[in-house]
């Protein structure tokens, strides 16, 4: 999965994983199967009812309408997902990470005719590969993209931090925190260090020390690192 950065309306950078071609193809095949099965089943039912097509063409058109509007309806009312997208854990979002409007879904649906239907998906695949951020022509026009909600979890993504066998903790107050809170602290701290965002580290330092009701002598980076290690020490030895 390719990562790309989106900017929110609050100018906050968020790293997202663009849905890969295979996931989108499988989602497309699943959705296509559902659409064709629905059409086959409804038409078969109408035939069994012995309705003459020449006299009842309006009924045929009416029952085929859900299949025709499948993508735009499901993505609108299912928060950017169809059955196939849901199974493949991918979702349509706006480029700023927010939820698309009906107009966004409508534009990308209309342009399916060009980059999916008329070219059997070839043009869509080519544009997605070239853009690298999950966009086909419909997405470019609608200012949307398709992201993957699959998470790659490694040991670095957990609260676990290596500590020496003879490690001596400094702050017993870390036991005030829950696992989820320490995980949030660690994620923010690690990301801020990677990006050199000292303002985030300073704000995190102030927040953590205020919760613990202490005035540490360590610098913010050293303090936060110690807090995470201390929490590991106490939770691993309880």
């Amino acid at each position: 999965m390719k990562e790309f950065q989106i900017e929110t309306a609050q100018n906050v950078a968020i790293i997202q994983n663009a849905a890969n071609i295979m996931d989108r193809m499988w989602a497309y095949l699943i959705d296509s199967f559902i659409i064709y099965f629905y059409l086959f089943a409804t038409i078969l039912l109408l035939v069994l009812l012995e309705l003459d097509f020449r006299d009842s063409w309006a009924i045929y058109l009416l029952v085929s309408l859900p299949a025709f509007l499948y993508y735009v309806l499901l993505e609108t009312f299912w928060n950017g997902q169809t059955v196939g997208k849901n199974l493949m854990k991918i979702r349509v979002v706006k480029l700023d990470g927010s939820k698309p409007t009906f107009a966004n879904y409508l534009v990308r649906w209309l342009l399916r005719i060009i980059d999916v239907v008329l070219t059997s998906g070839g043009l869509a695949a080519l544009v997605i590969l070239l853009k690298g951020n999950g966009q086909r022509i419909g997405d470019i026009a609608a200012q949307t993209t398709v992201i993957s909600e699959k998470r790659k979890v490694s040991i670095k993504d957990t609260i676990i931090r290596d500590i020496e066998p003879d490690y001596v903790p400094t702050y017993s107050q870390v036991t005030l925190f829950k696992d989820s809170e320490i995980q949030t602290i660690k994620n923010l701290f690690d990301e801020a260090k990677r990006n050199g965002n000292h303002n985030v580290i300073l704000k995190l330092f102030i927040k953590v020390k205020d919760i613990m009701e202490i005035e540490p002598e360590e610098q913010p980076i050293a303090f936060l690192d110690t807090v995470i290690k201390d929490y590991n020490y106490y939770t691993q030895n309880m």
Side-chain angles (χ1 to χ4, degrees):
M1 291 180 286
K2 292 184 178 180
E3 290 186 345
F4 67 98
Q5 181 173 296
I6 60 176
E7 298 286 338
T8 68
Q10 293 75 35
N11 296 319
V12 176
I14 300 176
I15 302 299
Q16 292 281 12
N17 288 320
N20 64 50
I21 285 289
M22 291 306 299
D23 283 346
R24 294 185 70 164
M25 286 180 63
W26 276 112
Y28 171 74
L29 291 173
I30 292 169
D31 290 328
S32 296
F33 173 80
I34 292 171
I35 291 170
Y36 290 128
F37 178 80
Y38 169 83
L39 288 172
F40 174 79
T42 51
I43 291 174
L44 179 62
L45 178 61
L46 293 175
V47 170
L48 292 175
L49 292 174
E50 298 183 350
L51 295 176
D52 186 88
F53 179 78
R54 290 169 296 181
D55 299 329
S56 309
W57 60 269
I59 297 177
Y60 280 88
L61 289 177
L62 184 63
V63 297
S64 65
L65 198 57
F68 180 67
L69 299 174
Y70 174 87
Y71 284 97
V72 68
L73 289 178
L74 260 69
E75 289 178 356
T76 299
F77 294 107
W78 202 0
N79 193 21
Q81 289 188 311
T82 58
V83 175
K85 287 184 175 68
N86 180 264
L87 292 175
M88 299 311 299
K89 299 188 184 303
I90 60 178
R91 184 185 303 276
V92 179
V93 298
K94 291 181 69 175
L95 285 175
D96 64 0
S98 62
K99 180 180 178 180
T101 64
F102 174 74
N104 297 125
Y105 293 127
L106 182 63
V107 169
R108 72 188 307 274
W109 173 72
L110 289 172
L111 288 176
R112 288 182 65 83
I113 298 172
I114 297 174
D115 56 4
V116 177
V117 178
L118 294 181
T119 62
S120 301
L123 182 58
L126 177 63
V127 175
I128 290 168
L129 290 172
L130 291 175
K131 287 287 289 181
N133 62 352
Q135 287 186 299
R136 58 176 175 84
I137 292 176
D139 289 307
I140 296 171
Q143 296 186 328
T144 58
T145 185
V146 180
I147 62 169
S148 174
E149 296 183 327
K150 296 176 182 177
R151 289 195 52 124
K152 294 180 179 179
V153 179
S154 67
I155 193 70
K156 293 188 294 183
D157 298 316
T158 68
I159 61 174
I160 297 174
R161 182 69 63 86
D162 290 332
I163 55 177
E164 299 78 12
D166 56 349
Y167 180 80
V168 178
T170 306
Y171 307 108
S172 60
Q173 295 92 334
V174 295
T175 54
L176 292 170
F177 294 108
K178 300 176 183 177
D179 281 355
S180 59
E181 293 169 335
I182 286 292
Q183 181 69 67
T184 300
I185 292 170
K186 181 180 179 296
N187 290 344
L188 290 171
F189 179 51
D190 289 345
E191 185 175 353
K193 281 199 303 180
R194 282 196 303 269
N195 298 329
N197 198 331
H198 299 292
N199 287 331
V200 172
I201 292 174
L202 183 58
K203 289 178 182 178
L204 192 59
F205 165 74
I206 294 171
K207 183 70 174 179
V208 171
K209 75 178 184 65
D210 286 349
I211 293 174
M212 293 170 62
E213 298 182 346
I214 59 174
E215 289 298 331
E217 296 181 358
E218 294 176 289
Q219 293 297 311
I221 291 178
F223 169 71
L224 292 169
D225 192 56
T226 300
V227 166
I228 296 169
K229 286 184 176 179
D230 284 358
Y231 187 85
N232 272 270
Y233 174 85
Y234 284 113
T235 54
Q236 292 176 25
N237 289 279
M238 289 178 65

